[in-house]
Amino acid sequence: MTTVLIADDQPLQRFGFRMLLESQDDLTVLGEAANGTEAIRMTAELHPDVVLMDIRMPGLDGIEATRRIAATGDRTRVLILTTFDLDEYAYAGLRAGASGFLVKDAQPEELLSGIRNVATGDAVVAPGLTRRLLDAYAQHLPTTTAEPALTDAPHIDTRLSSLTEREREILTVIGMGWTNTEIATRLHLAESTVKTHVGRILAKTGSRDRIQAVILAYDTKLVEPS
């Protein structure tokens, strides 16, 4: 059974999500939060597998709530909800530690599949869409004073230093939007071998999931915005 916390400031939206989720034998709703502060508190109390997180909420927004939930190191994963005209917020949510994002007008099957995928540690967003989102906004994000050195010489980034040459190659193509099947085909590897490499990359770099690995590839300039 996958447990879900719904965080959205719109009562009707929460009601709709609850009705959909509770129609499934393998999903159950533990509670509803109307803002980011409630989402953080209820996550700490209930430890849901997935938080379905709206971005724009009064008080503490979904991005900051996501950041604080991810910072706890708890097993709970966050699935961000957004609209196409708010893609920059989705990007910020992913950087804050969300495991993926969907648009609010997604088909019910997409939402259900997304929740299940996030619960098992997979990325929700198709890699190609993730890259287009990152391409659009990577150059507009604020940088810290510590980043130029990493930008100029990504090979010295400590998050990459433990990777083998093959692992760095695979991290690069993950950032380019390749799926495991595409990696296996193009690099002439068994798909099981690719999955093993991906798992090691996530563990060595401290990435929560594949989407965080994509962001890492951009942060370290293994992949440049097109």
Side-chain angles (χ1 to χ4, degrees):
M1 182 68 69
T2 297
T3 57
V4 182
L5 173 68
I6 300 170
D8 195 296
D9 64 324
Q10 299 294 324
L12 284 178
Q13 188 80 68
R14 296 197 304 271
F15 177 77
F17 287 145
R18 177 182 282 274
M19 291 290 290
L20 174 63
L21 300 186
E22 291 187 342
S23 71
Q24 305 297 303
D25 293 337
D26 62 329
L27 301 175
T28 186
V29 177
L30 295 184
E32 300 177 14
N35 55 59
T37 301
E38 287 186 6
I40 294 169
R41 175 181 58 79
M42 296 180 71
T43 298
E45 293 174 357
L46 302 174
H47 303 286
D49 296 314
V50 178
V51 177
L52 199 57
M53 183 78 76
D54 187 22
I55 289 181
R56 303 186 75 176
M57 295 185 289
L60 194 71
D61 65 24
I63 293 174
E64 182 58 29
T66 296
R67 183 176 294 109
R68 297 187 191 184
I69 290 172
T72 67
D74 195 4
R75 65 180 178 83
T76 297
R77 295 180 179 275
V78 177
L79 175 56
I80 288 284
L81 295 174
T82 185
T83 55
F84 279 124
D85 61 336
L86 295 175
D87 279 349
E88 66 270 28
Y89 294 127
Y91 180 82
L94 296 180
R95 288 188 65 96
S99 295
F101 69 93
L102 289 173
V103 293
K104 281 194 172 182
D105 60 356
Q107 294 297 314
E109 296 77 13
E110 292 179 274
L111 177 60
L112 295 172
S113 176
I115 291 172
R116 293 181 178 114
N117 287 339
V118 165
T120 59
D122 290 336
V124 170
V125 184
L129 179 57
T130 303
R131 179 167 188 191
R132 290 196 297 273
L133 178 66
L134 293 175
D135 279 349
Y137 295 101
Q139 299 183 68
H140 302 290
L141 295 172
T143 57
T144 65
T145 55
E147 286 182 347
L150 301 182
T151 299
D152 294 338
H155 61 280
I156 68 171
D157 191 304
T158 55
R159 293 171 294 178
L160 302 181
S161 61
S162 62
L163 298 182
T164 65
E165 183 176 349
R166 173 64 88 180
E167 288 166 350
R168 191 174 301 187
E169 178 184 21
I170 290 175
L171 175 58
T172 300
V173 295
I174 287 174
M176 294 169 62
W178 293 18
T179 64
N180 284 356
T181 300
E182 290 172 330
I183 295 172
T185 300
R186 299 182 189 185
L187 299 185
H188 307 290
L189 299 170
E191 193 160 347
S192 60
T193 301
V194 174
K195 291 180 180 179
T196 298
H197 280 307
V198 172
R200 289 175 179 168
I201 290 167
L202 297 182
K204 288 182 178 181
T205 61
S207 300
R208 287 169 57 89
D209 48 43
R210 194 184 189 95
I211 285 183
Q212 297 303 308
V214 172
I215 292 174
L216 173 65
Y218 273 76
D219 282 345
T220 57
K221 302 303 180 182
L222 287 177
V223 179
E224 296 281 354
S226 58

